[in-house]
Amino acid sequence: MHHALFAFLLFGLFTAPLAAQQSGKTLQEKLGYPRDAKLLIVHADDLGVTHSVNAASLHALESGGINSASLMVPCPWFPEIADYAKSHPSADFGLHLTLTSERVYYRWGPVAPRDKVPSLVDANGYFHHDWSPEARIDPRDVETELRAQVARALAMGVKPTHLDSHQNRLFQTNKDLFEVILRIGHENHLPVLIPRGWFADFPFLEKSLGPDDVVIDRVITMEPGVPPANWNDFYKHALEHLEPGVTEFVIHLAYADEEMLAATRERETWGAAWRQRDFDFFSSAEFQKLLRDNQIHLITWRDIARLNPSHKME
Amino acid sequence: MHHALFAFLLFGLFTAPLAAQQSGKTLQEKLGYPRDAKLLIVHADDLGVTHSVNAASLHALESGGINSASLMVPCPWFPEIADYAKSHPSADFGLHLTLTSERVYYRWGPVAPRDKVPSLVDANGYFHHDWSPEARIDPRDVETELRAQVARALAMGVKPTHLDSHQNRLFQTNKDLFEVILRIGHENHLPVLIPRGWFADFPFLEKSLGPDDVVIDRVITMEPGVPPANWNDFYKHALEHLEPGVTEFVIHLAYADEEMLAATRERETWGAAWRQRDFDFFSSAEFQKLLRDNQIHLITWRDIARLNPSHKME
């Protein structure tokens, strides 16, 4: 194929859905801000996984360190956070749809009957630690399990504002799994976390989008390899250089207490000390000052969901 | 029926299996002790339920505060205690077969696929908080679930020395459920906790026993209603007045830390403070002195299992 033609087709493929979605306006403009506005969702993941994560995340939510979070329905401490969500219906809580149980000494399994989701469980009935390249994750099992997670959340009084995916499994594995979360989002009238910043690495994301799907500009999250001494600088640099548009900070809060140290002791990544550092930075006056000094406006998934009349909002 | 005849039949009913089982010798004599020996198993329940319970119980096990324990296979922290059991094969660990999830903010469900044990689960897929009088617990579901718990324990490297039952559900509900645990015990060649002290309240226990079933003399356990100030006196009195025969102290250890306080915060019974008091007493020099001063000998389920050649012992 002629290179120029190929480039043209490729260009069309990548920009058409975006143009359709945006109708010429950026997301920040649709939200009532100027085109150069810097909008930020400060989002904690993994609520429900342990008591320590719940306690630290709720402390940050109530003191303004975060303004959004998502909940792991299959995890043992989900009832605690569901109880909170039920009695705080204006909190911006999504579902952190979960298909793995990645720790060693503390584990959980599916919400659906495990014989209905055989490709998702290991020999002992837990979710897999990890998905090996040989794992044949059946999208039908994924759909069964996600429906069970949404059903349990609704039954226990959670009214989610958005959907995202633990370890980004549903975003960064393949088109089939992405289409399952997208379908669950559409059926429940909930926006799904889709940052434009992932399109280059995962082209199937953009190809699957319809005209009503919302795309944010980017996710910023702490990377393995950042030394603890540079933790605050990582976030400070991100805030001082934030580009216009809608950004989500994906952070992981917990206290480095006995429960969390034990639950994560086999490795440091996303472990107890990591999460305590996140908690310390996002609870700091420095973080609040960086938001002010850099004219960053906080928004939530509730604001985004309101843009789409099909999205159920209270 | 004539009263004397009735009494005679009743007497026969209650004593025949006992006589058959004992062949004239008491359990303490079979174990090589004199008839007036006071033998004690100091047994912690609920390992696997939380990290706090695991940590406190293992500390007590390694420092001589307890010498036996049982593990809750369906609970989130079971992998931590299974890993310990696998690397400490001489520890006296039984399975604390579990069919309820009695807390509010922290919960678990069956090991078997939940659609295979419908009478055991609530609308959200957890084990029931409690069994209401209307609950129709199906013994076939119980058997399915207990087999799944034993299979997971074995697959994860636990070699249990005995079986008992969380909240005594399998001992104190009805004959059908007791016969399930007894059958699972026979099939796995494991002794089951059956104290003669329960026969008066639950006559079906004795009726179901065969000649090879082991019966211990009594269980002593802290009762709700004992004021915290009288905690140590309760145990001190029990030790100072211990009758000859085989007694099991059923105790509940944990630290009153954030995890345990949160997991049990809806009520005080068997809560974090209760378990910390148990931990403090059984870790004390006073407890060790009471054992010595009252000529109490410690034994384990491993010693009991060795009496029956059909019991698999390492």
Side-chain angles (χ1 to χ4, degrees), chain A residues 50-51 54 73 75-81 83 104-116 123-126 151-152 155-156 257-260 262-265, chain B residues 50-51 54 73 75-81 83 104-116 123-126 151-152 155-156 257-260 262-265:
Chain A
T50 61
H51 171 67
N54 286 353
V73 181
C75 292
W77 284 94
F78 175 70
E80 178 179 65
I81 198 71
D83 182 72
V104 173
Y105 302 104
Y106 174 69
R107 306 201 67 204
W108 53 85
V111 176
R114 60 202 63 183
D115 54 354
K116 294 290 194 297
N124 297 318
Y126 303 110
R152 179 189 276 181
M156 291 175 70
D257 60 12
E258 291 303 315
E259 177 199 21
M260 204 68 208
T264 64
R265 67 183 178 266
Chain B
T50 61
H51 172 67
N54 286 352
V73 182
C75 291
W77 284 94
F78 176 71
E80 178 178 66
I81 199 70
D83 180 74
V104 174
Y105 301 105
Y106 174 69
R107 306 200 65 202
W108 53 85
V111 175
R114 59 202 65 183
D115 54 353
K116 294 288 193 297
N124 296 318
Y126 303 110
R152 177 189 277 182
M156 292 176 69
D257 60 12
E258 291 303 315
E259 178 200 20
M260 205 67 209
T264 63
R265 67 182 178 267

Side-chain angles (χ1 to χ4, degrees), chain A residues 108-264:
Chain A
W108 53 85
V111 176
R114 60 202 63 183
D115 54 354
K116 294 290 194 297
V117 293
S119 71
L120 301 183
V121 295
D122 69 14
N124 297 318
Y126 303 110
F127 280 138
H128 297 292
H129 275 289
D130 197 359
W131 289 352
S132 67
E134 302 78 39
R136 295 166 184 271
I137 301 299
D138 188 330
R140 290 167 303 182
D141 293 359
V142 171
E143 186 145 353
T144 299
E145 175 59 19
L146 298 194
R147 285 188 198 287
Q149 293 185 17
V150 171
R152 179 189 276 181
L154 296 175
M156 291 175 70
V158 178
K159 294 177 174 167
T161 59
H162 62 289
L163 300 179
D164 57 25
S165 164
H166 187 52
Q167 300 183 322
N168 291 328
R169 298 276 174 180
L170 296 162
F171 300 135
Q172 303 184 348
T173 302
N174 61 44
K175 180 180 170 71
D176 288 346
L177 299 198
F178 178 59
E179 290 189 346
V180 175
I181 186 174
L182 207 55
R183 187 155 56 243
I184 301 282
H186 293 164
E187 288 176 8
N188 291 279
H189 308 289
L190 293 172
V192 175
L193 171 65
I194 306 161
R196 201 184 316 287
W198 291 346
F199 288 174
D201 286 340
F202 307 98
F204 59 80
L205 291 173
E206 194 173 9
K207 289 180 197 163
S208 301
L209 296 180
D212 287 337
D213 291 312
V214 175
V215 175
I216 71 166
D217 291 284
R218 67 194 70 80
V219 158
I220 295 178
T221 193
M222 181 59 66
E223 301 295 335
V226 173
N230 297 1
W231 214 258
N232 291 8
D233 285 345
F234 174 95
Y235 289 122
K236 188 178 175 208
H237 182 272
L239 290 161
E240 289 178 338
H241 297 83
L242 200 67
E243 300 279 331
V246 175
T247 303
E248 176 168 304
F249 269 23
V250 170
I251 65 173
H252 302 87
L253 307 182
Y255 300 120
D257 60 12
E258 291 303 315
E259 177 199 21
M260 204 68 208
L261 288 162
T264 64

